[in-house]
């Protein structure tokens, strides 16, 4: 399942170079992940009921084209692959001209909320990934 959200670049997201600050792309992607989880019926509350947390352990991001104030961006999120306790979500950010602005692979690990140790991915999450 792929999801997408649209945002408008705000003044607080611009750096001294006049474009989106690199750290803001991480926020955009986090918003995309949150939307993906919610549309997959895996809200924060659902994970808590399962005693599961998700922790981001690696982000490999490519900055392809600058984005500027007022531009509308689309953030697409989709599941790429999964292991036993980790999984990878892909994010693609495009501008209004459908030009690639940034892309990333984000590795997450599922943990037990009490022990704070990694645990196998719950079936509800695992089923969202390609076999």
């Amino acid at each position: 399942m792929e999801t997408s959200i649209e945002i408008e670049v705000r003044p607080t997201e611009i750096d001294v170079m006049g474009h989106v600050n690199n750290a803001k792309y991480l926020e955009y992607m986090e918003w995309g992940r949150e939307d993906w989880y919610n549309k997959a019926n895996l809200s924060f509350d659902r994970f808590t009921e399962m005693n599961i947390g998700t922790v981001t352990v690696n982000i490999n991001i490519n900055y392809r084209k600058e984005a500027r104030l007022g531009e509308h961006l689309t953030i697409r999120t989709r599941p790429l692959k999964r292991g036993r306790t980790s999984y990878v979500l892909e994010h693609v950010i495009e501008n209004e001209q459908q030009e690639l602005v940034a892309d990333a692979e984000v590795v997450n690990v599922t943990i037990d909320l009490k022990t704070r140790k990694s645990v196998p991915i719950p079936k509800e999450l695992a089923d969202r990934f390609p076999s």
Side-chain angles (χ1 to χ4, degrees):
M1 171 184 75
E2 181 176 293
T3 61
S4 68
I5 60 172
E6 292 186 15
I7 63 155
E8 182 176 341
V9 176
R10 300 172 296 195
T12 57
E13 298 162 353
I14 302 300
D15 64 18
V16 297
M17 294 297 295
H19 57 216
V20 173
N21 179 275
N22 65 295
K24 294 300 180 177
Y25 289 96
L26 298 175
E27 286 184 43
Y28 297 167
M29 292 175 186
E30 186 173 2
W31 300 342
R33 280 193 304 284
E34 198 64 33
D35 180 66
W36 184 85
Y37 288 127
N38 288 333
K39 288 180 177 163
N41 295 316
L42 291 166
S43 67
F44 178 78
D45 290 340
R46 179 63 192 123
F47 276 116
T48 301
E49 289 169 7
M50 294 187 287
N51 190 44
I52 296 289
T54 62
V55 179
T56 299
V57 296
N58 181 272
I59 297 176
N60 183 14
I61 187 168
N62 300 297
Y63 301 98
R64 309 288 188 174
K65 184 174 182 65
E66 66 182 354
R68 295 177 159 262
L69 180 64
E71 283 190 49
H72 291 89
L73 303 177
T74 300
I75 298 100
R76 291 194 326 267
T77 305
R78 73 180 179 103
L80 272 189
K81 58 188 172 187
R82 65 178 165 88
R84 190 178 75 79
T85 63
S86 66
Y87 58 96
V88 180
L89 293 172
E90 177 188 56
H91 297 288
V92 174
I93 301 177
E94 294 178 332
N95 62 21
E96 294 171 82
Q97 293 74 40
Q98 298 173 334
E99 297 169 317
L100 184 60
V101 172
D103 59 276
E105 291 187 6
V106 179
V107 181
N108 295 283
V109 171
T110 50
I111 65 166
D112 178 293
L113 289 176
K114 292 184 179 94
T115 66
R116 310 304 270 190
K117 303 283 185 194
S118 64
V119 293
I121 297 170
K123 183 172 178 7
E124 285 180 57
L125 177 57
D127 287 349
R128 304 288 192 262
F129 285 80
S131 300

